[in-house]
Amino acid sequence: MTLADACAFAEAQGWPKFRGEQIWRWVHAQGVRTFDEMTNLSRDVRDQLAARACIGSLKVAEVQTSKDGTRKLRLETRDGQSIESVLIPFEGEKTTLCISSQVGCAVDCQFCATAKMGLKRNLDAGEIVDQVYLARTLLAEVAPERRLSNLVYMGMGEPLHNYDNLVRSLRILCDDKGAKLAQRRITVSTSGLVPKLERLGKEDVRPNLAVSLNAPNDEIRDMIMPINRKWNIGKLLAALKAYPLEQRRRITFEYVLLAGVNDSLRDAGQLAKLLRGVKCKVNIIPWNPHPEAPYERPAPAVIDAFQNECKRLGLPTYLRTPRGDDIDAACGQLANRAGESRTPLVPLRVRREPPPPPPVD
Ligand code: SAH
Ligand code: SF4
């Protein structure tokens, strides 16, 4: 519930509106998970609530810790689905949580482990928000000196395919009376659903935007991201150029580097040309392996050469070093694989031919 929903709920019970706000604040500002802790409510009200409602929609099923300190949380929904969030402590103060927006994903990017699950269902706003609260609790236990500073919607799923719950979760998390997350520290990553991007630009909540571009032209993007056949690079960039960016903000483009597919100097040149004049930066993500995917991570020298060429051409680029890849927690590795059942890597093969035609949206 948003704060407004909670007030409406209270009124529907015949309670004063402020009681809705009291309850909501306990949950979202104080982080309590039982009605008993709501000490400014009468015993009778607390009992009524406990009989009819519950707080929190997820249970922590498993926490895996990487050698680099990254923690992957496997969380269970009330209907027995599993999703994953990743808590990433960076050097210094920054601690980022990467959350899921769906169980699986329908977009079918050829390089992504989540795609292999297909789409099971959308998460509701409570399930999105609860990932933040459970991660905060874990952080308080394992690293009490740290605070969650950044939130990225880059886990399982395509957030813009779950638009209403995405926006609802942002409203709840950014509410000044609740968890008070700063919009400028939240990033929503999308494969580029053009109509939804246009809609997001008109909302009152304004997270940062990351767009999975992954290719310098339609030919390559069609091959690795079938969604490009519906909204190609031209349409995507037109929508992004029209997107109302807050002052001093830039769009982040993600570029998963796949050996022999999109990693040549020519690709770097095309990319720099494509993005000239767009207020942006590019995050280069060397492909993170997962079983049965027909790709390879480029050699370090190739990655360097690609980045240097982009920089030489004036495109700001950053290399994302994989975090938590030893526990399958790095970008594109989330697919509900439990620690002990991790499948060994199959021999890799570089694929250049187009994949079989997938459903587009
Ligand atoms: N669905 C959203 C957010 C989740 S995917 C989106 O696609 O933007 C988050 C990022 O992981 C995307 O930029 C995607 O391109 C990248 N990614 C997916 N699989 C990957 C892999 N195996 N290695 C590296 N990055 C990957
Ligand atoms: Fe879905 Fe993002 Fe993976 Fe593509 S990269 S399949 S959009 S989660």
PDB file of all heavy atoms in Angstrom, residues 102 104-116 154-159 161 189-192 212 214 224-225 227 256 332, ligand 2:
ATOM      1  N   GLN A 102      10.387  -9.032 -11.506  1.00  0.00           N
ATOM      2  CA  GLN A 102       9.506 -10.110 -11.971  1.00  0.00           C
ATOM      3  C   GLN A 102      10.127 -11.453 -11.565  1.00  0.00           C
ATOM      4  O   GLN A 102      11.325 -11.520 -11.287  1.00  0.00           O
ATOM      5  CB  GLN A 102       9.393 -10.085 -13.501  1.00  0.00           C
ATOM      6  CG  GLN A 102       8.777  -8.817 -14.068  1.00  0.00           C
ATOM      7  CD  GLN A 102       8.655  -8.879 -15.588  1.00  0.00           C
ATOM      8  OE1 GLN A 102       9.630  -9.147 -16.284  1.00  0.00           O
ATOM      9  NE2 GLN A 102       7.454  -8.640 -16.100  1.00  0.00           N
ATOM     10  N   GLY A 104      11.433 -14.342 -13.245  1.00  0.00           N
ATOM     11  CA  GLY A 104      11.804 -14.620 -14.626  1.00  0.00           C
ATOM     12  C   GLY A 104      11.684 -13.361 -15.468  1.00  0.00           C
ATOM     13  O   GLY A 104      11.619 -12.244 -14.951  1.00  0.00           O
ATOM     14  N   CYS A 105      11.644 -13.547 -16.780  1.00  0.00           N
ATOM     15  CA  CYS A 105      11.552 -12.399 -17.687  1.00  0.00           C
ATOM     16  C   CYS A 105      11.083 -12.892 -19.052  1.00  0.00           C
ATOM     17  O   CYS A 105      11.426 -13.986 -19.473  1.00  0.00           O
ATOM     18  CB  CYS A 105      12.911 -11.727 -17.817  1.00  0.00           C
ATOM     19  SG  CYS A 105      12.879 -10.233 -18.837  1.00  0.00           S
ATOM     20  N   ALA A 106      10.300 -12.049 -19.726  1.00  0.00           N
ATOM     21  CA  ALA A 106       9.750 -12.457 -21.022  1.00  0.00           C
ATOM     22  C   ALA A 106      10.554 -11.923 -22.204  1.00  0.00           C
ATOM     23  O   ALA A 106      10.246 -12.211 -23.344  1.00  0.00           O
ATOM     24  CB  ALA A 106       8.305 -11.952 -21.131  1.00  0.00           C
ATOM     25  N   VAL A 107      11.583 -11.145 -21.926  1.00  0.00           N
ATOM     26  CA  VAL A 107      12.216 -10.400 -23.031  1.00  0.00           C
ATOM     27  C   VAL A 107      13.142 -11.268 -23.888  1.00  0.00           C
ATOM     28  O   VAL A 107      13.342 -11.003 -25.064  1.00  0.00           O
ATOM     29  CB  VAL A 107      12.929  -9.132 -22.506  1.00  0.00           C
ATOM     30  CG1 VAL A 107      13.572  -8.369 -23.632  1.00  0.00           C
ATOM     31  CG2 VAL A 107      11.914  -8.236 -21.800  1.00  0.00           C
ATOM     32  N   ASP A 108      13.692 -12.308 -23.336  1.00  0.00           N
ATOM     33  CA  ASP A 108      14.436 -13.294 -24.112  1.00  0.00           C
ATOM     34  C   ASP A 108      15.748 -12.813 -24.720  1.00  0.00           C
ATOM     35  O   ASP A 108      16.082 -13.199 -25.859  1.00  0.00           O
ATOM     36  CB  ASP A 108      13.525 -13.861 -25.222  1.00  0.00           C
ATOM     37  CG  ASP A 108      13.988 -15.237 -25.679  1.00  0.00           C
ATOM     38  OD1 ASP A 108      14.653 -15.922 -24.883  1.00  0.00           O
ATOM     39  OD2 ASP A 108      13.734 -15.608 -26.832  1.00  0.00           O
ATOM     40  N   CYS A 109      16.468 -11.973 -24.016  1.00  0.00           N
ATOM     41  CA  CYS A 109      17.796 -11.596 -24.497  1.00  0.00           C
ATOM     42  C   CYS A 109      18.658 -12.860 -24.513  1.00  0.00           C
ATOM     43  O   CYS A 109      18.636 -13.641 -23.553  1.00  0.00           O
ATOM     44  CB  CYS A 109      18.416 -10.539 -23.592  1.00  0.00           C
ATOM     45  SG  CYS A 109      17.379  -9.074 -23.481  1.00  0.00           S
ATOM     46  N   GLN A 110      19.398 -13.028 -25.581  1.00  0.00           N
ATOM     47  CA  GLN A 110      20.065 -14.309 -25.814  1.00  0.00           C
ATOM     48  C   GLN A 110      21.209 -14.613 -24.861  1.00  0.00           C
ATOM     49  O   GLN A 110      21.621 -15.746 -24.706  1.00  0.00           O
ATOM     50  CB  GLN A 110      20.585 -14.352 -27.252  1.00  0.00           C
ATOM     51  CG  GLN A 110      19.485 -14.244 -28.277  1.00  0.00           C
ATOM     52  CD  GLN A 110      18.497 -15.396 -28.176  1.00  0.00           C
ATOM     53  OE1 GLN A 110      18.882 -16.553 -28.379  1.00  0.00           O
ATOM     54  NE2 GLN A 110      17.258 -15.109 -27.855  1.00  0.00           N
ATOM     55  N   PHE A 111      21.733 -13.575 -24.207  1.00  0.00           N
ATOM     56  CA  PHE A 111      22.928 -13.726 -23.373  1.00  0.00           C
ATOM     57  C   PHE A 111      22.594 -13.831 -21.885  1.00  0.00           C
ATOM     58  O   PHE A 111      23.475 -13.948 -21.043  1.00  0.00           O
ATOM     59  CB  PHE A 111      23.847 -12.516 -23.581  1.00  0.00           C
ATOM     60  CG  PHE A 111      23.081 -11.214 -23.541  1.00  0.00           C
ATOM     61  CD1 PHE A 111      22.729 -10.636 -22.337  1.00  0.00           C
ATOM     62  CD2 PHE A 111      22.650 -10.614 -24.718  1.00  0.00           C
ATOM     63  CE1 PHE A 111      21.978  -9.467 -22.302  1.00  0.00           C
ATOM     64  CE2 PHE A 111      21.903  -9.434 -24.687  1.00  0.00           C
ATOM     65  CZ  PHE A 111      21.566  -8.860 -23.472  1.00  0.00           C
ATOM     66  N   CYS A 112      21.300 -13.778 -21.525  1.00  0.00           N
ATOM     67  CA  CYS A 112      20.907 -13.578 -20.124  1.00  0.00           C
ATOM     68  C   CYS A 112      20.324 -14.850 -19.504  1.00  0.00           C
ATOM     69  O   CYS A 112      19.460 -15.502 -20.099  1.00  0.00           O
ATOM     70  CB  CYS A 112      19.876 -12.449 -20.069  1.00  0.00           C
ATOM     71  SG  CYS A 112      19.150 -12.207 -18.439  1.00  0.00           S
ATOM     72  N   ALA A 113      20.786 -15.192 -18.302  1.00  0.00           N
ATOM     73  CA  ALA A 113      20.309 -16.413 -17.634  1.00  0.00           C
ATOM     74  C   ALA A 113      18.840 -16.299 -17.229  1.00  0.00           C
ATOM     75  O   ALA A 113      18.093 -17.276 -17.284  1.00  0.00           O
ATOM     76  CB  ALA A 113      21.172 -16.701 -16.407  1.00  0.00           C
ATOM     77  N   THR A 114      18.413 -15.102 -16.824  1.00  0.00           N
ATOM     78  CA  THR A 114      17.016 -14.939 -16.387  1.00  0.00           C
ATOM     79  C   THR A 114      16.066 -15.245 -17.549  1.00  0.00           C
ATOM     80  O   THR A 114      14.983 -15.807 -17.346  1.00  0.00           O
ATOM     81  CB  THR A 114      16.778 -13.498 -15.875  1.00  0.00           C
ATOM     82  OG1 THR A 114      17.756 -13.193 -14.894  1.00  0.00           O
ATOM     83  CG2 THR A 114      15.398 -13.353 -15.271  1.00  0.00           C
ATOM     84  N   ALA A 115      16.485 -14.893 -18.751  1.00  0.00           N
ATOM     85  CA  ALA A 115      15.640 -15.127 -19.931  1.00  0.00           C
ATOM     86  C   ALA A 115      15.274 -16.599 -20.069  1.00  0.00           C
ATOM     87  O   ALA A 115      14.172 -16.952 -20.502  1.00  0.00           O
ATOM     88  CB  ALA A 115      16.360 -14.647 -21.188  1.00  0.00           C
ATOM     89  N   LYS A 116      16.207 -17.462 -19.664  1.00  0.00           N
ATOM     90  CA  LYS A 116      15.981 -18.912 -19.829  1.00  0.00           C
ATOM     91  C   LYS A 116      14.835 -19.416 -18.953  1.00  0.00           C
ATOM     92  O   LYS A 116      14.279 -20.478 -19.201  1.00  0.00           O
ATOM     93  CB  LYS A 116      17.260 -19.700 -19.489  1.00  0.00           C
ATOM     94  CG  LYS A 116      18.488 -19.266 -20.257  1.00  0.00           C
ATOM     95  CD  LYS A 116      18.477 -19.811 -21.693  1.00  0.00           C
ATOM     96  CE  LYS A 116      19.652 -19.283 -22.499  1.00  0.00           C
ATOM     97  NZ  LYS A 116      19.278 -18.429 -23.634  1.00  0.00           N
ATOM     98  N   MET A 154      17.830  -3.947 -11.367  1.00  0.00           N
ATOM     99  CA  MET A 154      18.624  -4.623 -12.402  1.00  0.00           C
ATOM    100  C   MET A 154      18.704  -6.121 -12.153  1.00  0.00           C
ATOM    101  O   MET A 154      19.544  -6.806 -12.711  1.00  0.00           O
ATOM    102  CB  MET A 154      20.055  -4.073 -12.434  1.00  0.00           C
ATOM    103  CG  MET A 154      20.163  -2.660 -12.938  1.00  0.00           C
ATOM    104  SD  MET A 154      21.882  -2.163 -13.070  1.00  0.00           S
ATOM    105  CE  MET A 154      21.687  -0.418 -13.427  1.00  0.00           C
ATOM    106  N   GLY A 155      17.839  -6.622 -11.261  1.00  0.00           N
ATOM    107  CA  GLY A 155      17.842  -8.056 -10.987  1.00  0.00           C
ATOM    108  C   GLY A 155      16.991  -8.780 -12.027  1.00  0.00           C
ATOM    109  O   GLY A 155      16.979  -8.413 -13.199  1.00  0.00           O
ATOM    110  N   MET A 156      16.266  -9.793 -11.565  1.00  0.00           N
ATOM    111  CA  MET A 156      15.433 -10.538 -12.522  1.00  0.00           C
ATOM    112  C   MET A 156      14.308  -9.666 -13.042  1.00  0.00           C
ATOM    113  O   MET A 156      13.649  -8.965 -12.266  1.00  0.00           O
ATOM    114  CB  MET A 156      14.757 -11.697 -11.796  1.00  0.00           C
ATOM    115  CG  MET A 156      15.675 -12.783 -11.406  1.00  0.00           C
ATOM    116  SD  MET A 156      14.650 -13.966 -10.515  1.00  0.00           S
ATOM    117  CE  MET A 156      15.763 -15.320 -10.478  1.00  0.00           C
ATOM    118  N   GLY A 157      14.050  -9.784 -14.335  1.00  0.00           N
ATOM    119  CA  GLY A 157      12.841  -9.172 -14.880  1.00  0.00           C
ATOM    120  C   GLY A 157      13.047  -7.855 -15.581  1.00  0.00           C
ATOM    121  O   GLY A 157      14.087  -7.211 -15.456  1.00  0.00           O
ATOM    122  N   GLU A 158      12.033  -7.489 -16.341  1.00  0.00           N
ATOM    123  CA  GLU A 158      12.031  -6.226 -17.068  1.00  0.00           C
ATOM    124  C   GLU A 158      11.071  -5.281 -16.324  1.00  0.00           C
ATOM    125  O   GLU A 158       9.849  -5.434 -16.397  1.00  0.00           O
ATOM    126  CB  GLU A 158      11.572  -6.476 -18.514  1.00  0.00           C
ATOM    127  CG  GLU A 158      11.198  -5.249 -19.310  1.00  0.00           C
ATOM    128  CD  GLU A 158      12.261  -4.141 -19.275  1.00  0.00           C
ATOM    129  OE1 GLU A 158      13.407  -4.385 -19.640  1.00  0.00           O
ATOM    130  OE2 GLU A 158      11.910  -3.021 -18.863  1.00  0.00           O
ATOM    131  N   PRO A 159      11.616  -4.304 -15.595  1.00  0.00           N
ATOM    132  CA  PRO A 159      10.760  -3.460 -14.751  1.00  0.00           C
ATOM    133  C   PRO A 159       9.626  -2.781 -15.520  1.00  0.00           C
ATOM    134  O   PRO A 159       8.518  -2.660 -15.000  1.00  0.00           O
ATOM    135  CB  PRO A 159      11.715  -2.407 -14.196  1.00  0.00           C
ATOM    136  CG  PRO A 159      13.082  -2.925 -14.423  1.00  0.00           C
ATOM    137  CD  PRO A 159      13.037  -3.952 -15.491  1.00  0.00           C
ATOM    138  N   HIS A 161       7.958  -3.904 -17.937  1.00  0.00           N
ATOM    139  CA  HIS A 161       6.876  -4.859 -18.223  1.00  0.00           C
ATOM    140  C   HIS A 161       5.953  -4.998 -17.020  1.00  0.00           C
ATOM    141  O   HIS A 161       4.923  -5.660 -17.095  1.00  0.00           O
ATOM    142  CB  HIS A 161       7.437  -6.243 -18.581  1.00  0.00           C
ATOM    143  CG  HIS A 161       7.553  -6.461 -20.064  1.00  0.00           C
ATOM    144  ND1 HIS A 161       8.358  -7.431 -20.610  1.00  0.00           N
ATOM    145  CD2 HIS A 161       6.961  -5.839 -21.109  1.00  0.00           C
ATOM    146  CE1 HIS A 161       8.263  -7.386 -21.937  1.00  0.00           C
ATOM    147  NE2 HIS A 161       7.424  -6.430 -22.257  1.00  0.00           N
ATOM    148  N   SER A 189      16.611  -0.094 -14.741  1.00  0.00           N
ATOM    149  CA  SER A 189      17.257  -0.545 -15.975  1.00  0.00           C
ATOM    150  C   SER A 189      16.236  -1.237 -16.870  1.00  0.00           C
ATOM    151  O   SER A 189      15.458  -2.074 -16.422  1.00  0.00           O
ATOM    152  CB  SER A 189      18.381  -1.531 -15.623  1.00  0.00           C
ATOM    153  OG  SER A 189      18.982  -2.020 -16.788  1.00  0.00           O
ATOM    154  N   THR A 190      16.244  -0.882 -18.145  1.00  0.00           N
ATOM    155  CA  THR A 190      15.269  -1.460 -19.073  1.00  0.00           C
ATOM    156  C   THR A 190      15.919  -1.892 -20.376  1.00  0.00           C
ATOM    157  O   THR A 190      16.923  -1.319 -20.802  1.00  0.00           O
ATOM    158  CB  THR A 190      14.131  -0.460 -19.381  1.00  0.00           C
ATOM    159  OG1 THR A 190      13.263  -1.041 -20.363  1.00  0.00           O
ATOM    160  CG2 THR A 190      14.667   0.859 -19.910  1.00  0.00           C
ATOM    161  N   SER A 191      15.285  -2.888 -20.991  1.00  0.00           N
ATOM    162  CA  SER A 191      15.744  -3.331 -22.305  1.00  0.00           C
ATOM    163  C   SER A 191      15.224  -2.390 -23.397  1.00  0.00           C
ATOM    164  O   SER A 191      15.550  -2.583 -24.562  1.00  0.00           O
ATOM    165  CB  SER A 191      15.260  -4.759 -22.549  1.00  0.00           C
ATOM    166  OG  SER A 191      13.851  -4.811 -22.418  1.00  0.00           O
ATOM    167  N   GLY A 192      14.418  -1.413 -23.008  1.00  0.00           N
ATOM    168  CA  GLY A 192      14.018  -0.392 -23.981  1.00  0.00           C
ATOM    169  C   GLY A 192      12.599  -0.511 -24.503  1.00  0.00           C
ATOM    170  O   GLY A 192      12.378  -0.543 -25.712  1.00  0.00           O
ATOM    171  N   SER A 212      19.642  -1.024 -21.561  1.00  0.00           N
ATOM    172  CA  SER A 212      20.507  -2.098 -22.059  1.00  0.00           C
ATOM    173  C   SER A 212      20.573  -1.993 -23.573  1.00  0.00           C
ATOM    174  O   SER A 212      19.679  -2.468 -24.270  1.00  0.00           O
ATOM    175  CB  SER A 212      19.933  -3.462 -21.653  1.00  0.00           C
ATOM    176  OG  SER A 212      19.835  -3.523 -20.250  1.00  0.00           O
ATOM    177  N   ASN A 214      23.630  -2.656 -25.629  1.00  0.00           N
ATOM    178  CA  ASN A 214      24.331  -3.909 -25.952  1.00  0.00           C
ATOM    179  C   ASN A 214      24.770  -4.092 -27.404  1.00  0.00           C
ATOM    180  O   ASN A 214      25.331  -5.132 -27.749  1.00  0.00           O
ATOM    181  CB  ASN A 214      23.496  -5.139 -25.536  1.00  0.00           C
ATOM    182  CG  ASN A 214      23.251  -5.174 -24.043  1.00  0.00           C
ATOM    183  OD1 ASN A 214      24.064  -4.674 -23.278  1.00  0.00           O
ATOM    184  ND2 ASN A 214      22.147  -5.740 -23.615  1.00  0.00           N
ATOM    185  N   ILE A 224      20.770 -10.336 -30.745  1.00  0.00           N
ATOM    186  CA  ILE A 224      20.942 -10.695 -29.327  1.00  0.00           C
ATOM    187  C   ILE A 224      19.783 -10.233 -28.444  1.00  0.00           C
ATOM    188  O   ILE A 224      19.602 -10.735 -27.344  1.00  0.00           O
ATOM    189  CB  ILE A 224      22.294 -10.165 -28.760  1.00  0.00           C
ATOM    190  CG1 ILE A 224      22.410  -8.645 -28.883  1.00  0.00           C
ATOM    191  CG2 ILE A 224      23.461 -10.851 -29.453  1.00  0.00           C
ATOM    192  CD1 ILE A 224      23.687  -8.079 -28.271  1.00  0.00           C
ATOM    193  N   MET A 225      18.998  -9.249 -28.922  1.00  0.00           N
ATOM    194  CA  MET A 225      17.846  -8.754 -28.150  1.00  0.00           C
ATOM    195  C   MET A 225      16.634  -8.665 -29.082  1.00  0.00           C
ATOM    196  O   MET A 225      16.422  -7.654 -29.750  1.00  0.00           O
ATOM    197  CB  MET A 225      18.146  -7.367 -27.553  1.00  0.00           C
ATOM    198  CG  MET A 225      19.277  -7.359 -26.554  1.00  0.00           C
ATOM    199  SD  MET A 225      19.545  -5.731 -25.822  1.00  0.00           S
ATOM    200  CE  MET A 225      18.114  -5.537 -24.760  1.00  0.00           C
ATOM    201  N   ILE A 227      13.747  -7.940 -28.744  1.00  0.00           N
ATOM    202  CA  ILE A 227      12.877  -6.780 -28.533  1.00  0.00           C
ATOM    203  C   ILE A 227      13.201  -5.674 -29.527  1.00  0.00           C
ATOM    204  O   ILE A 227      12.359  -4.832 -29.847  1.00  0.00           O
ATOM    205  CB  ILE A 227      13.019  -6.279 -27.076  1.00  0.00           C
ATOM    206  CG1 ILE A 227      11.915  -5.296 -26.712  1.00  0.00           C
ATOM    207  CG2 ILE A 227      14.330  -5.589 -26.808  1.00  0.00           C
ATOM    208  CD1 ILE A 227      11.022  -5.805 -25.668  1.00  0.00           C
ATOM    209  N   VAL A 256      26.770  -5.080 -22.765  1.00  0.00           N
ATOM    210  CA  VAL A 256      27.349  -6.384 -22.413  1.00  0.00           C
ATOM    211  C   VAL A 256      28.301  -6.782 -23.532  1.00  0.00           C
ATOM    212  O   VAL A 256      27.886  -6.896 -24.692  1.00  0.00           O
ATOM    213  CB  VAL A 256      26.242  -7.455 -22.268  1.00  0.00           C
ATOM    214  CG1 VAL A 256      26.862  -8.807 -21.938  1.00  0.00           C
ATOM    215  CG2 VAL A 256      25.252  -7.065 -21.191  1.00  0.00           C
ATOM    216  N   GLY A 332      23.097 -10.668 -15.039  1.00  0.00           N
ATOM    217  CA  GLY A 332      22.672 -11.672 -16.015  1.00  0.00           C
ATOM    218  C   GLY A 332      22.848 -13.103 -15.565  1.00  0.00           C
ATOM    219  O   GLY A 332      22.648 -14.035 -16.336  1.00  0.00           O
TER     220      GLY A 332
HETATM  221 FE1  SF4 B   2      15.085  -9.712 -19.256  1.00  0.00          FE
HETATM  222 FE2  SF4 B   2      17.004  -7.853 -18.811  1.00  0.00          FE
HETATM  223 FE3  SF4 B   2      17.622 -10.480 -18.999  1.00  0.00          FE
HETATM  224 FE4  SF4 B   2      16.869  -9.133 -21.180  1.00  0.00          FE
HETATM  225  S1  SF4 B   2      18.704  -8.753 -19.957  1.00  0.00           S
HETATM  226  S2  SF4 B   2      16.141 -11.177 -20.573  1.00  0.00           S
HETATM  227  S3  SF4 B   2      15.329  -7.774 -20.337  1.00  0.00           S
HETATM  228  S4  SF4 B   2      16.363  -9.537 -17.429  1.00  0.00           S
END
